[in-house]
Each structure stands twice: as C-alpha cells, then as structure tokens.
Amino acid sequence: MTAWERQRAALRAEITAAACALFVEHGFEATTVDQIVETVGISRRSFFRYFGSKEDVLLGDLAARGDAVARALAERPDAEDPWEALRAAMIAAQPETFNDPVADLAIARMMHETPSLRARLSEKRQHWREALVPLTARRIDGPDAEFTASAIVSAVLSCVDTASDAWIAANGEADMLDLYDRAVAAIRVPPATPPVAVRTPHSPAEDIDSR
C-alpha cells in the first residue's frame, strides 16, 4: 500500500471504530452521522467519501471480516476437506474479526434487530461467497467443483447465521464455535427417523382363519 492508501485505510478504520462505539452506547437508530463526524473530527463530506450511509459502516466491517476469512482460507492446504478448511479459516481469522466480545454482541444484536441492516446483510454475504467459493472449489475434484463449492459455502454461511442467532439469544454466554459445529452437524448428518412399519399383504382366507 502507498502512504496515501495507508492513511485512507487508517481513517476508515477510525471512523468505523468511533461509529461502532456510538452505536453500542446510544443504539444504531439513535446515532446520527453528525455525531460520528463530530467524534472523529471530520466533515460530513469526508464521511460520505468513505461510506454511503451509517449502515455501510457496520456492513463494510462485515465485508472486511469476509476478506480476513478468505485470506486465512487461502493459506489452508488444498487437499484439506472443504468443510474443515472453512472452519479452520474462520477460527484463524478470529483475531481480525472478533476483538471485543461485549461490543461484538451489541453489534450482532443491532444487525439482528434493525430491519435496514438485515435487509442489506445478504448483499454483503454475497461478497463472502465471491471470495470463498473459488478458494473452496480448488479443494473439490470433478467438473461440478464450482457448483459444489457454492453450495458448501452457502451452507456454511447459513450455519454461521444460525449460530449467531443462538449466540445472541443466549446473551453471548454460549460458545459460538460449539453452536456453529452443532448447526453443521444438523445439516451434514440426517436426523434419525423411526422405521416405518410395513404391512405385508395377506389373503382373505387369513382373515377368515383369524376369526
């Protein structure tokens, strides 16, 4: 990165940190762009050079987390099972993606409860898919590698969302990795079903005998 790019990235990170702190303290809806720019010491014009809206502050951070997982996945062995590789990559990216459990819980709850954020969450999830599918496909043999990788990544992200919802419901006291593993197990191992009793055919004569 050039010196200008480093400076730009540093300011973007500063805006994100300040905004997230305000969101946690006052709530997402109650926090205004004016409060954010006043805290950072920049103009509204400068804020909108980096973010299209205050929603983009949180959602942009989500995209950055996806990039961190992608970097970790790229370092995993190509021969590794795709499910295991994605799990290991998410664990390896944790130092970059989850730094403050209290703030992370508050932000996760905001994203869960705020309609404007939930509506745009799927857009950012697409960024994760675009980054992770090619890296997953190289671990899969056959002509349908891309298709299979897309299905696996989509399933993994659904498991992440399911685990996140359960983590929020538990007020952050549950183990996020355990919740994720349980969600994966639920879709990878079919639930046991009781055997269906099959009635064998019988003749009318048997009915007469039974009387």
Side-chain angles (χ1 to χ4, degrees):
M1 295 175 66
T2 65
W4 181 82
E5 288 171 335
R6 287 195 298 272
Q7 183 179 5
R8 182 177 174 83
L11 180 54
R12 183 183 178 90
E14 184 180 355
I15 295 171
T16 299
C20 287
L22 289 170
F23 294 153
V24 171
E25 182 178 358
H26 302 292
F28 181 80
E29 298 291 356
T31 301
T32 66
V33 172
D34 287 335
Q35 288 175 303
I36 297 171
V37 300
E38 182 180 353
T39 300
V40 181
I42 59 174
S43 66
R44 285 175 60 91
R45 185 176 180 180
S46 294
F47 174 88
F48 287 112
R49 286 198 192 104
Y50 291 88
F51 303 99
S53 65
K54 67 177 184 178
E55 285 85 358
D56 287 337
V57 177
L58 286 180
L59 295 172
D61 184 52
L62 181 65
R65 292 182 178 200
D67 292 336
V69 175
R71 287 194 295 272
L73 182 59
E75 296 177 359
R76 304 299 305 176
D78 286 352
E80 191 172 27
D81 174 81
W83 289 89
E84 295 302 324
L86 285 162
R87 181 183 186 275
M90 287 189 289
I91 293 173
Q94 278 185 342
E96 291 188 65
T97 57
F98 293 98
N99 299 315
D100 184 342
V102 175
D104 284 333
L105 176 61
I107 291 170
R109 183 172 284 121
M110 262 183 269
M111 298 188 72
H112 180 80
E113 297 174 350
T114 306
S116 61
L117 290 172
R118 287 186 68 87
R120 297 182 59 190
L121 180 61
S122 60
E123 299 175 15
K124 298 304 178 181
R125 281 290 190 232
Q126 183 59 31
H127 175 80
W128 282 53
R129 291 185 183 91
E130 291 172 356
L132 298 177
V133 167
L135 295 169
T136 303
R138 74 188 194 189
R139 295 170 166 79
I140 300 169
D141 295 327
D144 291 332
E146 194 82 8
F147 177 87
T148 303
S150 180
I152 292 174
V153 170
S154 294
V156 164
L157 294 181
S158 292
C159 289
V160 169
D161 290 339
T162 298
S164 179
D165 289 345
W167 183 66
I168 293 168
N171 201 34
E173 295 179 1
D175 183 86
M176 184 69 166
L177 183 59
D178 177 64
L179 292 170
Y180 170 78
D181 287 339
R182 288 168 56 192
V184 170
I187 63 173
R188 294 196 70 184
V189 180
T193 56
V196 178
V198 179
R199 189 175 181 182
T200 57
H202 60 273
S203 67
E206 289 174 330
D207 288 336
I208 294 173
D209 293 340
S210 66
R211 298 188 192 129

